[in-house]
Amino acid sequence: MGEKITLSIIKADVGGWVGHSSVHPDLLSKTEECLENAKNQGLIIDYHRGKVGDDIALIMTHRHGPDNENIHKFAWETFEAATEVAKSLGQYGAGQDLLSDAFSGNLRGMGPGYAEIEFEERTSEPVIVFLADKTEPGAWNMPLYKIFADPFNTIGLIIDPKMHQGFNFEVDDLIEHKKVVFSCPEELYNLLIFIGAPGRFVVKSVFRKDTGEVAAATSTQRLFFMAGRYVGKDDPVMVVRCQSGLPAVGEALEPFAFPHLVAGWMRGSHHGPLMPVSWCDDTPTRFDGPPRVVALGFQLKDGNLGTPRDMFADKSYDKAREIALNAADYLRRHGPFEPHRLPLEEMEYTTMPEVMEKLKDRFIKSG
Ligand code: 13P
Ligand code: 13P
Ligand code: MG
Ligand code: MG
């Protein structure tokens, strides 16, 4: 048993209530039952059962480090148990994110998304967990850039001597399966040329330069690349540690005052605004959206999560919601046309190959 705490956020969609809009209460209570057992058995220190749209998130603290077989196995079995409930209730897409028949070693490539960080708990350890539905991991690129590299968002980069040296960004290439670290601010332009293409390059983690401590992490897999067919979006999670040499809580939340456009929404095939919402509004309904994000604030103590706060319930996010709804209206009026609809190569749920096959003999040379 080391000194360090691991915070694991592991999520999956194992069935929607109704369609892809929410999670049935029986799946949530089954999940909580499994988490309570794991705590009683000493596998985890504490937990909170999170949810956004049709995705369930296991937010857990423990001392086993990231990528731990027992933790991942527990998460897998919990999602399997919830899938059984989903099947018995005829929930939509029961077991959607469980791409493998059996667990083997860890969750990499198996469907559930996860972000895990290991750190020494500070005297006070404020942490924000972000959960998004109807979008993809690259949705965090712009907020992470703003939080850790943009002084117009994060004044701490200028006036806090502990942040003044900047941060290191680890970026994953989801197609080539390679990663690279950029030291910012010196390499801002190198960073941006990649993470400005969020369908392929995703910020995986952010580190302090002086201590090497982890400051933020995201879930990065793309189900489409793993399954080779449309199996739902990868509805990502992110965790950001705050204060005392890291961004203030308000600096970590500030980027979401602008509901930037992300890929996802209906059938994982449309651009739409990422709307910050309170937990009670986490049910994407209009055209299966628009995409949305909830934020859970924790104040860790001895590995205990305490009572989470609903950070986007605050009135100061009303304006962002209004902008998001206006943007949603504007984009919807494009119907099946790009750029509301994703470009062909990005479309994850498309009848295009089939239609093309059927019509291929009708295409004649055009000169
Ligand atoms: P169906 O083809 O089963 O309607 O699934 C489509 C879907 O749910 C994508 O949103
Ligand atoms: P999820 O990825 O949240 O299951 O949504 C799938 C979808 O196709 C919504 O239209
Ligand atoms: Mg779903
Ligand atoms: Mg979802």
Side-chain angles (χ1 to χ4, degrees), residues 136-309:
E136 61 182 16
W140 306 127
N141 283 6
M142 193 193 284
L144 281 172
Y145 165 75
K146 287 185 174 175
I147 297 168
F148 290 99
D150 178 5
F152 279 73
N153 181 92
T154 299
I155 185 63
L157 294 166
I158 308 288
I159 62 175
D160 181 348
K162 294 198 290 295
M163 291 174 69
H164 202 73
Q165 75 280 10
F167 290 89
N168 284 335
F169 286 70
E170 183 195 309
V171 176
D172 283 10
D173 177 344
L174 300 186
I175 292 182
E176 295 276 325
H177 298 288
K178 288 181 177 163
K179 60 182 182 182
V180 56
V181 175
F182 293 114
S183 174
C184 293
E186 317 86 89
E187 292 192 282
L188 275 185
Y189 302 156
N190 287 339
L191 175 74
L192 284 169
I193 197 161
F194 293 105
I195 69 169
R200 172 164 179 184
F201 297 97
V202 173
V203 179
K204 168 79 181 156
S205 15
V206 181
F207 300 93
R208 269 178 83 136
K209 281 190 191 169
D210 49 356
T211 60
E213 251 183 303
V214 67
T218 69
S219 57
T220 51
Q221 82 292 345
R222 281 193 79 180
L223 292 177
F224 171 67
F225 294 141
M226 293 166 354
R229 66 189 152 85
Y230 180 80
V231 282
K233 271 284 171 192
D234 311 277
D235 302 335
V237 301
M238 167 168 82
V239 53
V240 180
R241 296 173 69 203
C242 299
Q243 308 287 156
S244 317
L246 297 172
V249 166
E251 290 168 336
L253 296 172
E254 175 65 8
F256 297 93
F258 170 60
H260 65 297
L261 292 185
V262 297
W265 207 342
M266 173 58 76
R267 296 170 188 264
S269 304
H270 294 79
H271 284 120
L274 184 63
M275 182 164 75
V277 293
S278 166
W279 302 343
C280 60
D281 294 320
D282 79 354
T283 48
T285 304
R286 180 183 179 189
F287 199 56
D288 286 0
R292 60 200 67 199
V293 54
V294 296
L296 300 89
F298 295 97
Q299 197 72 63
L300 263 68
K301 183 62 186 161
D302 300 326
N304 288 299
L305 289 164
T307 306
R309 281 211 60 229

Side-chain angles (χ1 to χ4, degrees), residues 339-359:
H340 179 32
R341 196 183 76 172
L342 297 190
L344 281 185
E345 62 273 19
E346 287 261 338
M347 297 245 305
E348 300 196 29
Y349 182 80
T350 172
T351 49
M352 180 71 177
E354 264 172 59
V355 175
M356 203 47 155
E357 181 58 28
K358 249 189 240 161
L359 298 182

Side-chain angles (χ1 to χ4, degrees), residues 277-279 295 309-318 321:
V277 293
S278 166
W279 302 343
R309 281 211 60 229
D310 181 356
M311 305 309 280
F312 289 142
D314 192 71
K315 279 199 147 337
S316 55
Y317 282 87
D318 287 353
R321 293 187 263 273

